Amino acid sequence: MTANADLIGQPGGARLLTTPALIVDGELLERNTRSMVELAAKAGMKLRPHAKTHKCSELGKRQIQWGASGLCCATPHEALVMLGAGIGDLLLTAPVTQPRQASAIAAALQRLCPSGQPCEFSVVVDSICGIELWEEALKGARLQINALVDLDIGMQRTGAPDSPAAIELATRLSASPSMKYAGVQAYSGLVQHIESFEERQRVYGTHLQKLKAVLDGLRAAGLAPTIVSGGGTGSFPIDAASGLFNEHQAGSFVFMDVEYGRVAWGTSMVPFDVSIWLRGHVISQNHPGIATVNLGTKSLSSDSFAPGVRGQPDWTFQFFGDEYGKLQFAGPGEPLWGKTVDFVLPHCDPTVNLHSEYHVLHGDTLIAIWPIDGRGVL
């Protein structure tokens, strides 16, 4: 039993949570997802939100109920967890190089996909070696998975570097007995948090020019991609206007955080609501203008900005150690000893990975606790 399970359904129970507690507003999760599904559809795209943001099969299933076409996964472990929850329409967005991981996924797909039936599961590849690894893992499985050629459009992390390399991979996939060439993936994480919309347009524009050139090369070679998948929350307005994508991989929109709160959206999209926060308690207040809370680097990601203090824009947070944070405010401040304080996450994805469960609220009532079951390594 989790620490707060006894509070589920108790009116006002949210105020009694043992902390640190990662909290989500169930209504805002749904509103954010339905809004993004609608925005994507208006731009001629399906929404395939990235589960790396939430790492939760229960939330993933609900996103599909709310209109998403399927999910993206960043790691084989995330994919296995989603498959185990019965979600088969997945795209594994990073190349796999470990045979044990590919074999585990192939075994899970055999259990989920009836023999001879189409399999919705998709992977990306950026090398011939990667294709051969999957073919070996799928040997004897009597199923075919979809494969997208991963393109490097400017980030230099993964992906085929140019049109000839992409054509070579697409040609090889077209002849594969166990993999179906389904299209391409193009993602640039470098641009997602560029705060100026104009600067983001300028930098990302060069990446999209490269994508267009590769797409033109594939079409000229008779290898037109059925799926062009990619993009993120920060690039969504630009992706929507480009007309290059028919599937979008935005993930952080479902939660939002301090980083995305600093990003300018231009005039084409309304920012989403912050639907997640971390609740802590004040454990000491013995000096003017400061108080100590029971959460530090073990509870909040420290790779970007400091967290925001929800409802208190003039208060600031400073990391005070592994388990502690320092609240700072003007003057002596009101008595806070034992009171709860809520924090807007600095960077949602890595903060989520520090916790084992979501506390789902409706008003001040705890209605459910969802495990963050996609954490970990296969």
Side-chain angles (χ1 to χ4, degrees):
M1 179 180 291
T2 62
N4 292 305
D6 61 311
L7 297 175
I8 295 175
Q10 180 177 328
R15 297 192 296 270
L16 304 176
L17 289 171
T18 299
T19 67
L22 195 61
I23 291 171
V24 294
D25 183 311
E27 292 184 340
L28 292 181
L29 295 178
E30 179 174 357
R31 185 190 306 168
N32 284 350
T33 301
R34 290 191 184 278
S35 294
M36 184 58 102
V37 168
E38 182 178 347
L39 286 168
K42 286 180 179 178
M45 299 184 292
K46 294 180 179 179
L47 177 67
R48 182 182 292 276
H50 221 306
K52 71 178 182 180
T53 298
H54 55 72
K55 289 182 175 284
C56 175
S57 60
E58 181 61 35
L59 179 48
K61 287 189 285 188
R62 288 168 186 264
Q63 286 188 300
I64 293 171
Q65 292 171 6
W66 297 332
S69 65
L71 299 177
C72 291
C73 295
T75 71
H77 179 69
E78 288 175 13
L80 277 176
V81 167
M82 301 301 162
L83 288 170
I87 304 172
D89 196 344
L90 301 172
L91 170 60
L92 183 53
T93 60
V96 174
T97 63
Q98 299 177 60
R100 283 167 55 85
Q101 293 179 329
S103 295
I105 289 174
L109 289 173
Q110 279 188 283
R111 294 189 293 270
L112 188 64
C113 302
S115 179
Q117 296 296 312
C119 180
E120 298 172 317
F121 188 84
S122 304
V123 300
V124 303
V125 294
D126 70 353
S127 68
I128 298 298
C129 291
I131 297 174
E132 292 172 345
L133 179 142
W134 279 110
E135 288 177 336
E136 181 64 27
L138 293 164
K139 226 180 241 186
R142 288 171 37 176
L143 56 83
Q144 187 180 55
I145 65 173
N146 299 315
L148 306 184
V149 175
D150 188 21
L151 303 178
D152 173 16
I153 58 172
M155 192 173 181
Q156 299 185 334
R157 184 167 65 185
T158 65
D162 50 34
S163 287
I167 291 169
E168 179 187 15
L169 291 169
T171 301
R172 176 65 175 79
L173 285 171
S174 298
S176 175
S178 51
M179 306 184 79
K180 177 185 176 183
Y181 168 58
V184 299
Q185 171 183 269
Y187 174 70
S188 181
L190 290 173
V191 305
Q192 302 302 323
H193 294 100
I194 296 175
E195 294 179 14
S196 162
F197 184 70
E198 290 73 20
E199 179 64 8
R200 201 174 335 126
Q201 279 185 310
R202 185 190 69 77
V203 175
Y204 193 40
T206 63
H207 298 181
L208 293 182
Q209 286 174 7
K210 184 173 182 180
L211 171 58
K212 185 179 184 305
V214 174
L215 293 176
D216 289 344
L218 286 167
R219 294 183 182 115
L223 296 163
T226 301
I227 298 169
V228 181
S229 184
T233 298
S235 66
F236 181 85
I238 306 168
D239 296 324
S242 74
L244 296 174
F245 297 91
N246 56 23
E247 179 176 278
H248 207 270
Q249 298 182 6
S252 297
F253 72 90
V254 73
F255 288 152
M256 303 304 285
D257 54 26
V258 170
E259 282 195 332
Y260 273 118
R262 298 168 66 98
V263 167
W265 298 101
T267 59
S268 58
M269 189 171 84
V270 177
F272 299 95
D273 293 310
V274 174
S275 63
I276 188 169
W277 58 96
L278 185 65
R279 177 161 293 175
H281 274 89
V282 174
I283 62 170
S284 183
Q285 189 185 12
N286 290 327
H287 301 280
I290 68 170
T292 302
V293 292
N294 64 334
L295 43 84
T297 55
K298 290 183 179 178
S299 299
L300 288 158
S301 67
S302 56
D303 62 316
S304 60
F305 305 100
V309 185
R310 192 165 179 257
Q312 298 288 350
D314 296 330
W315 293 12
T316 60
F317 175 96
Q318 179 181 330
F319 286 105
F320 221 14
D322 293 350
E323 312 286 355
Y324 311 107
K326 179 194 289 186
L327 279 180
Q328 296 176 289
F329 36 83
E334 62 180 290
L336 296 174
W337 187 93
K339 291 190 176 182
T340 60
V341 183
D342 293 334
F343 297 89
V344 179
L345 309 188
H347 186 183
C348 56
D349 298 35
T351 296
V352 162
N353 199 54
L354 297 172
H355 297 267
S356 59
E357 57 201 15
Y358 296 110
H359 299 80
V360 187
L361 301 190
H362 180 73
D364 65 355
T365 301
L366 175 67
I367 61 172
I369 296 176
W370 295 341
I372 305 175
D373 46 3
R375 298 163 68 221
V377 178
L378 170 60

